[in-house]
Amino acid sequence: MGRGKIEIKRIENTSNRQVTYSKRKNGIIKKAKEITVLCDANVSLVIYGSSGKMYEYCSPKTNLIDMLDRYQRLSGNKLWDAKHENLQNEIDRIKKENESMQIELRHLKGEDITSLNYEELIAYEDALENGLTNIREKKDEIPKIMRKHEQVLEEENKHLMYLVQQSEMAAMGDYQGHEPFSFRVQPMQPNLHERM
């Protein structure tokens, strides 16, 4: 006895709809994997649920970008507009620039310099000497800055000491005419008191 046919329409009950979505999503992904293995086909599948979560499957021998490019070539449908192509060109340009800078950085570190000619070596030497001069100048500035900072702190300290001294003198002026407090140390042991 087989399963009965169901009417293909939106399931109104949210819980039932979610269960059906989960089962059918897993089923279609399973079928995509099976056709990939059984028929040596390139399959790409993308599913977006109502929550917006994405599920994808792509045959192991390919990737989604290649599949979409192939679809675009064979169908004639334009998937990427000029803006996206320009972005891709910009990404490619930045990648090349990054690779060039990585090579230059290795050369500045003294690595991979066997491929450089004499003029390039001279240019790197000049760049390194200029950099070293700038670093030494900056290094020589640091003690001067530290001394200046130290002088500022000393001035602030002198000013604070002056304010404390003025405050103490003002407090002493308030106590003139009053008997200053005095303390007498009392021994804790009674027998010591008798000896004194």
Side-chain angles (χ1 to χ4, degrees), residues 95 138 193:
K95 281 181 182 177
K138 186 69 176 173
H193 184 65

Side-chain angles (χ1 to χ4, degrees), residues 121-173:
L121 288 171
I122 294 297
Y124 279 117
E125 183 181 28
D126 290 343
L128 288 170
E129 284 177 357
N130 289 337
L132 189 58
T133 302
N134 292 336
I135 289 170
R136 286 186 177 142
E137 288 173 1
K138 186 69 176 173
K139 188 181 85 171
D140 291 342
E141 286 178 19
I142 291 173
K144 293 175 188 173
I145 293 169
M146 295 297 286
R147 279 194 291 273
K148 206 177 257 188
H149 187 64
E150 186 179 337
Q151 288 172 351
V152 168
L153 289 174
E154 283 178 5
E155 291 297 321
E156 286 180 14
N157 189 28
K158 285 178 186 176
H159 181 68
L160 289 173
M161 291 297 285
Y162 173 76
L163 292 176
V164 167
Q165 187 179 18
Q166 291 297 319
S167 174
E168 287 175 351
M169 290 180 73
M172 291 296 276

Side-chain angles (χ1 to χ4, degrees), residues 73-133:
R73 272 193 325 274
L74 295 175
S75 70
N77 293 335
K78 197 88 166 137
L79 296 176
W80 319 116
D81 60 7
K83 181 180 175 184
H84 288 101
E85 287 180 16
N86 289 339
L87 286 175
Q88 187 60 47
N89 292 339
E90 183 68 13
I91 289 170
D92 292 341
R93 186 191 64 76
I94 290 171
K95 281 181 182 177
K96 286 177 185 173
E97 189 176 320
N98 185 34
E99 288 171 9
S100 173
M101 291 174 79
Q102 290 290 333
I103 291 169
E104 189 173 342
L105 181 61
R106 281 198 304 275
H107 289 162
L108 285 170
K109 288 180 177 180
E111 301 169 0
D112 299 335
I113 57 174
T114 53
S115 62
L116 299 176
N117 62 36
Y118 182 76
E119 288 80 22
E120 291 172 324
L121 288 171
I122 294 297
Y124 279 117
E125 183 181 28
D126 290 343
L128 288 170
E129 284 177 357
N130 289 337
L132 189 58
T133 302

